[in-house]
Structure formats: C-alpha cells, structure tokens
Amino acid sequence: MSTRHVLLGLLVAEPRHGYELKRRHDERFPQARPLAYAQVYTTLQRLVRDGLVEVEGTDSDGGPERTLYRATEEGTRELLGWAGELTPPAPHVANEIFAKVVVAILLAGRGADPAAQLREQREAHMARMRELTAVKTAPGADLTAVLSADYALVHLDADLRWMTTTAARLTTLTAEVTSA
C-alpha cells in the first residue's frame, strides 16, 4: 500500500494535522500495519517537498503547536492518477511460509519437522481467522472494518488451502529438495 497516496487521500477532503492523519489511517485501514508517527511526518515532509501538500497553518489549542496540512491541486491530480491505475498482480510471490517449509526439510536431520511447521502455521492462521471473524461480526462493526477483515480472511484462507496441498505433497517435495 502506498502510504504517500493514502495520506494524500486523507488530506483531499479537508486539511488535517499529522496526529489526526495517523489516527484516521489506523481507523480507515484497520487490518493494515498501524503507521508510526515518524512515518507520517516523514511522508508529509516529502509530500510538501514535492508540491503535493502544503502547510495551511499552525495552531496550538492550548497544547503543543500542530501543523495543519492540505492537499494541493497538483496533489489531487496525482491522487486521481494513482487511484485510476490498475494494481498489477504481483509478478513474484515471496511466500515466507513456503521458504520455512523448504528450510525445515533441509534441517530435518537437525530436529526440524516440516509437517509440524505446517500444522503450527495452520493453527496460527486459524486463530487469526477467528479474531478477524469476531471483528467483522461485532455489534456495530462499520463497513470499513468488515471489508478489511473480509480481505484478510480471503488471503488467510488461500494460505490454508496452500498449506493443505503442501502437506499432502510433503513427501514428494522432500525428495525434490534433498536430491538437489
């Protein structure tokens, strides 16, 4: 996900402070990794540098001084272009679970168990799926939370199906990996 574009998108509706942008990001994208404040402010500095955002002013409201940012016309054009682009399917899939299974096969003589690795990973995925199901079925869950949880659940389900297939083919995979 493009943090640059997401923050710019959050600024299109109205000017905001960095603190508010971080809070809005974390609310609007609940299954994404929460942004660090440093990442928000570094991204804002770059957006200002690139002319996509400008400082509208500062205020303190009795507390520390806060800078108010707003999207520029150029920023809005950039955002429209980005939002209209298709996201290409990943050309390379880096699957850490698969890498760990292969390494477990290579370490089988030293105590690693690839079948156990798959079982434990499956249990972790199932636990996360239960958490996400609770999020999406919670009373009063907003559509953003529901859709974000649905997206994550579909991906976790795909991982589970892959783990089932891999577990069924583990003997053949072990033979291939260890014969090379």
Side-chain angles (χ1 to χ4, degrees), residues 1 11 23 26 40 56 58 69 86 91 98 125 147 158 169:
M1 179 165 53
L11 286 171
R23 190 175 52 78
D26 295 350
V40 170
E56 182 159 291
T58 58
Y69 298 91
L86 292 180
F98 177 64
H125 270 56
L147 291 174
R169 297 176 175 169

Side-chain angles (χ1 to χ4, degrees), residues 40-170:
V40 170
Y41 289 106
T42 300
T43 303
L44 283 169
Q45 289 171 354
R46 289 182 186 136
L47 288 167
V48 169
R49 177 198 67 201
D50 296 342
L52 305 175
V53 166
E54 61 188 16
V55 173
E56 182 159 291
T58 58
D59 64 39
S60 63
D61 291 332
E65 189 173 275
R66 297 182 300 176
T67 303
L68 192 63
Y69 298 91
R70 74 172 188 82
T72 63
E73 287 300 318
E74 185 180 343
T76 301
R77 283 192 301 276
E78 159 98 9
L79 193 59
L80 282 167
W82 175 78
E85 294 173 358
L86 292 180
T87 301
H92 307 285
V93 179
N95 184 332
E96 187 172 351
I97 300 168
F98 177 64
K100 287 183 177 187
V101 169
V102 170
V103 169
I105 289 169
L106 295 170
L107 293 171
R110 295 190 171 130
D113 181 352
Q117 170 79 21
L118 285 168
R119 280 192 304 277
E120 291 168 14
Q121 189 66 57
R122 180 178 187 75
E123 289 171 17
H125 270 56
M126 294 298 291
R128 181 65 178 139
M129 289 177 87
R130 285 189 292 277
E131 291 170 7
L132 290 166
T133 300
V135 165
K136 72 179 255 174
T137 59
D142 64 10
L143 188 56
T144 301
V146 170
L147 291 174
S148 184
D150 281 342
Y151 185 86
L153 283 164
V154 168
H155 286 267
L156 289 167
D157 182 61
D159 284 351
L160 287 173
R161 285 183 280 132
W162 177 86
M163 284 181 237
T164 299
T165 301
T166 301
R169 297 176 175 169
L170 200 52

